[in-house]
Amino acid sequence: MRALLMVQCGQSPVVGPRDLAGRGTRVAVTAAPITPLDLLCASGTSYFGAPAVPYVPGVQGVGTLDDGTPVWFATDAGMRAGDGSMAEYADVDPSDIVALPAGAEPTLVAALGLSAVAAWQSLTSCGDLHHGEQVLVLGGGGIVGQAAIQIARLLGARRVVAACRSAAAQSRATSLGADAVVPLRDNDTVADLAARLRPALDGPLDLVLDPLFGIPAAAALQVLRPGGRLVNLGGSASPTAPFDSATLRSGSLRILGYTNTTLTKPERAETMRTIAGHAAAGRLTVSYQAVPLDEAPAAWTAQATGTAPARMVLSPSAR
C-alpha cells in the first residue's frame, strides 16, 4: 500500500510503499488529519521519546471497515511502536474504533477529531459549564477554539466571546457564532489585552477556555469574575504565563488543566460519537482542506510552519 513515511525525525515525510502489519482490525482510510501531536511526535522531541523510524504518522483518522461501516479511530503512532492513519490502510486495535452515525462527512469528522473532543471535555467535565454562563475562548481561530465556540453555544452559554490573532481567524470566529471578537496582538501586554477584553463582555465572565497560555491567559484572569474558572489545554502562545498570587487569591480563581490522555477509551468514544452526531446534523464544523496523499509532504510542511490556511486532512484513498 502507499503511505506517508517519516524516515528521519525532524524532517519532512515522504510518500512510499509500506506493508500492512495485519495485527489488528483493517480500516480503509478515508481521511487523516495532520495534527499538532503528529508534528510533535515526528520531531523526536516529545515526552514520549523519539519514535523508531521509519513509521507512518497519524494519531487518528476516519475510514471504513471491510463490511463498509464508517468509523473514526485512534492510534499510538509516534508515541509507541506501530504505524498510524496516514496510509491507504491502517491496522487498528478494535478498542480504538468508534462507529460513526449516518451522514457524518468523513473529512469534517477527521478535522474535528480529538481537537473537538478536547474542547467538549474542557467545557464540560473539566470546566463545568452551566446553562446561561458567559464563556471566553482564547485562540478562537484554531480548531479547538472553533469547536469550543460552537460547543459552548450547544451547551447553553448565554454569550461567547472569542480572542483571535489574524483577521481571517476573527472573521471565522464571528461566522461560527461568537457574540464578540477581540484581536490578539504580538505586542500585547497583560493590561492592554485585559482592557480590550472588558468591553467585549456583558456581565460576569464565568469560564475561559485557554489553548494559548502566556499573556492571553494572564489577561483573561484579570477579567474573570470571583470564583471563575480558566481551563488550560495548551501553550501555543507561551509555556509560561505572567500572573501573580494576588490575582488568584483576590478573586478565588480556579485554574484547571486538561489533556485528552486522562480520558478512558469508553469516555473518548462516547465524546467522539457526540461530536460526530452534531457534525452530521450540521451543528458543528471547522475549517479544513482535503489533500491527496501525493501532496502530503507539502501539506505537512505547511502545517508545521503555520502557513496552512486550515487544518490539513489527507485523503489516502484518493488518486
Side-chain angles (χ1 to χ4, degrees):
M1 68 175 181
R2 298 165 70 246
L4 189 67
L5 295 170
M6 183 59 58
V7 296
Q8 185 171 337
C9 290
Q11 295 191 1
S12 294
V14 299
V15 177
R18 185 72 164 176
D19 291 334
L20 192 67
R23 292 188 291 267
T25 297
R26 186 175 75 163
V27 179
V29 182
T30 307
I34 302 173
T35 71
L37 181 55
D38 294 312
L39 299 171
L40 175 62
C41 290
S43 73
T45 62
S46 80
Y47 48 82
F48 299 106
V53 293
Y55 79 98
V56 178
V59 298
Q60 59 183 311
V62 172
T64 56
L65 303 181
D66 287 344
D67 65 2
T69 301
V71 298
W72 175 90
F73 64 92
T75 84
D76 291 325
M79 296 174 279
R80 296 182 179 86
D83 289 339
S85 62
M86 298 183 191
E88 291 178 315
Y89 293 92
D91 256 333
V92 185
D93 186 315
S95 66
D96 290 320
I97 293 174
V98 179
L100 294 177
E105 203 287 313
T107 311
L108 172 57
V109 172
L112 285 161
L114 291 170
S115 295
V117 168
W120 186 280
Q121 289 290 337
S122 293
L123 291 169
T124 57
S125 64
C126 189
D128 195 25
L129 174 61
H130 285 73
H131 185 89
E133 289 192 317
Q134 183 168 209
V135 177
L136 169 62
V137 178
L138 299 177
I143 297 297
V144 171
Q146 291 177 55
I149 291 168
Q150 300 164 86
I151 291 168
R153 283 287 189 211
L154 289 170
L155 296 173
R158 67 175 178 83
R159 183 174 176 84
V160 181
V161 177
C164 309
R165 188 164 300 278
S166 70
Q170 293 167 35
S171 176
R172 191 179 297 135
T174 299
S175 69
L176 292 175
D179 294 287
V181 179
V182 177
L184 298 173
R185 298 170 183 161
D186 290 337
N187 61 349
D188 269 335
T189 66
V190 172
D192 288 342
L193 181 52
R196 291 203 303 279
L197 288 171
R198 286 190 181 94
L201 302 173
D202 180 16
L205 174 61
D206 303 286
L207 177 62
V208 178
L209 185 135
D210 169 37
L212 304 181
F213 214 49
I215 285 173
L221 291 174
Q222 295 287 328
V223 298
L224 260 178
R225 68 163 173 82
R229 298 95 67 200
L230 181 147
V231 178
N232 175 260
L233 63 162
S236 60
S238 174
T240 60
F243 55 84
D244 54 32
S245 172
T247 297
L248 300 182
R249 290 183 290 111
S250 63
S252 296
L253 303 180
R254 286 180 280 167
I255 299 178
L256 306 161
Y258 175 79
T259 173
N260 278 337
T261 59
T262 60
L263 294 178
T264 65
K265 289 186 178 183
E267 288 171 337
R268 184 181 65 188
E270 180 59 31
T271 307
M272 195 63 236
R273 279 191 289 268
T274 299
I275 294 296
H278 284 300
R283 293 187 290 265
L284 188 56
T285 189
V286 291
S287 59
Y288 62 87
Q289 182 173 323
V291 180
L293 189 60
D294 287 338
E295 298 175 19
W300 182 281
T301 299
Q303 200 83 77
T305 58
T307 58
R311 171 62 54 85
M312 309 301 275
V313 182
L314 306 186
S315 301
S317 59
R319 294 293 185 103

